[in-house]
Amino acid sequence: MLSVFLVTFPFFALVLCGYLATRRGIFPLPAIAGVNAFVLFFALPCMLYKAGSSLPFAQLMNIPTLLLYMLVQLLMVGGCVWFSRRGGLDWNNSAFGALVTAFPNTGFMGLPLLVALLGEAAAGPAILSMLVDMVMTTSLGLALSRMDGAAGNIRPALGKAFKGVLSNPMPWSILLGALASYLQWQLPVAIDKTVGLLASAATPVALFAVGAVLARSKMVQAEYAAPGSYVPLALVKLFVHPLLVLALGHAAIALGLPLPSFSVMVLALVAALPSASNVTLLAERYGAHNGRIAHIILVSTALAFVSFTLAVSGFAEFFQ
């Protein structure tokens, strides 16, 4: 437990640094957009490319692992939307509540954290999960959010959401990294060093940005969110999500599917991560109750400092 804590502590400490620096005015609110743009369009794509290109192609593009995570995410989004709709919420707020509950903070936090804990082999399943979340989970969530007044026709909304995914550089960086791995192609030395410098900046800057985004949501968000509207979803994110991965993963292995138990463990730890902070940007753009979304992210991030450490220790013993 202590060894796991020593690895996880610096990651959450950087989030806290960003939060405190923003709350105290040391890091100005207008700078957050620029830092997020640097991470999303430069540092994180370079990190994903470097991680993907350095892995064996078969390990990076493992179809059973991909299908398992796709099924989990479909069940998470569908279950959360059903629960919220039964509670009287409209499609927009139901969909964004489901998206923030199903979408883990893999890019900013999970990938570097899991590699530090489990080694380079953890990068393959983690990157696959990111590809699913950026393409399928996000598109489905955005499409469902447009169902208010759509007369049940989800196709136009889904097409619009998918076009937005195509403009995101991160899926392309994953696919280019996989292609480079398959072709065993190396970047020219000067370009490779440039990409490496940007990749090395991704983790500390991204984690600091997560803290800044969380602080901003507390400072500028005027909408009140009742605890009952966000605490249950934060708990579903941290506990139900990883347990669902474990249950379906072991069921698949019991049925004889070629699914590595190590991949199941990595996906379960991905699911145990807090919610992704960038969902607040989407919620604001699409007119959802951003106060509720921000509180789900904040509560899941705060609780994950303890719950994720416990999950790492517990899953490691479970898979031995």
Side-chain angles (χ1 to χ4, degrees):
M1 178 70 74
L2 180 59
S3 61
V4 173
F5 176 78
L6 292 175
V7 175
T8 58
F9 177 81
F11 289 81
F12 287 95
L14 282 174
V15 175
L16 181 61
C17 286
Y19 183 89
L20 294 176
T22 306
R23 291 285 286 182
R24 291 180 172 273
I26 300 172
F27 188 73
L29 291 179
I32 296 176
V35 172
N36 275 330
F38 169 75
V39 173
L40 292 173
F41 290 95
F42 294 93
L44 193 54
C46 288
M47 184 181 75
L48 292 173
Y49 176 85
K50 291 285 287 183
S53 61
S54 63
L55 290 170
F57 182 79
Q59 181 180 336
L60 182 62
M61 291 296 173
N62 184 275
I63 299 303
T65 301
L66 180 70
L67 294 177
L68 169 64
Y69 193 71
M70 288 177 65
L71 177 60
V72 168
Q73 294 304 79
L74 286 172
L75 291 174
M76 282 291 296
V77 172
C80 290
V81 167
W82 177 83
F83 177 80
S84 297
R85 291 287 293 162
R86 284 202 52 156
L89 289 180
D90 58 15
W91 278 103
N92 195 23
N93 285 295
S94 297
F96 273 101
L99 181 59
V100 76
T101 305
F103 202 142
N105 201 345
T106 317
F108 283 13
M109 181 182 293
L111 180 58
L113 181 54
L114 290 171
V115 169
L117 286 166
L118 304 174
E120 293 292 334
I127 290 174
L128 266 184
S129 74
M130 291 182 64
L131 187 61
V132 171
D133 284 329
M134 287 183 291
V135 176
M136 187 198 78
T137 311
T138 301
S139 296
L140 180 60
L142 294 182
L144 290 172
S145 75
R146 303 297 88 194
M147 288 293 289
D148 289 312
N153 188 3
I154 196 174
R155 187 175 300 174
L158 189 59
K160 185 178 179 180
F162 189 68
K163 287 180 181 178
V165 170
L166 294 179
S167 64
N168 188 334
M170 288 189 286
W172 293 109
S173 63
I174 292 173
L175 294 175
L176 287 174
L179 181 62
S181 173
Y182 179 75
L183 298 176
Q184 297 184 342
W185 181 65
Q186 298 290 328
L187 290 172
V189 174
I191 297 177
D192 186 62
K193 288 185 177 180
T194 304
V195 172
L197 284 173
L198 285 169
S200 64
T203 299
V205 177
L207 293 173
F208 190 93
V210 169
V213 169
L214 294 178
R216 182 183 61 183
S217 69
K218 296 292 288 184
M219 295 167 68
V220 304
Q221 182 53 248
E223 296 180 351
Y224 172 75
S229 70
Y230 61 84
V231 172
L233 290 178
L235 296 177
V236 168
K237 174 72 206 72
L238 296 178
F239 299 102
V240 176
H241 198 185
L243 291 176
L244 183 60
V245 173
L246 288 177
L248 293 179
H250 277 279
I253 293 173
L255 291 173
L257 297 178
L259 182 64
S261 59
F262 180 78
S263 295
V264 176
M265 180 176 68
V266 173
L267 291 183
L269 290 175
V270 165
L273 291 166
S275 298
S277 59
N278 63 322
V279 180
T280 58
L281 304 178
L282 292 172
E284 183 176 351
R285 182 185 305 173
Y286 285 87
H289 191 316
N290 208 9
R292 174 172 171 256
I293 302 301
H295 278 83
I296 293 170
I297 297 168
L298 183 61
V299 171
S300 65
T301 303
L303 294 180
F305 178 65
V306 175
S307 66
F308 184 81
T309 303
L310 294 173
V312 173
S313 302
F315 292 171
E317 293 181 5
F318 182 77
F319 280 94
Q320 282 181 352

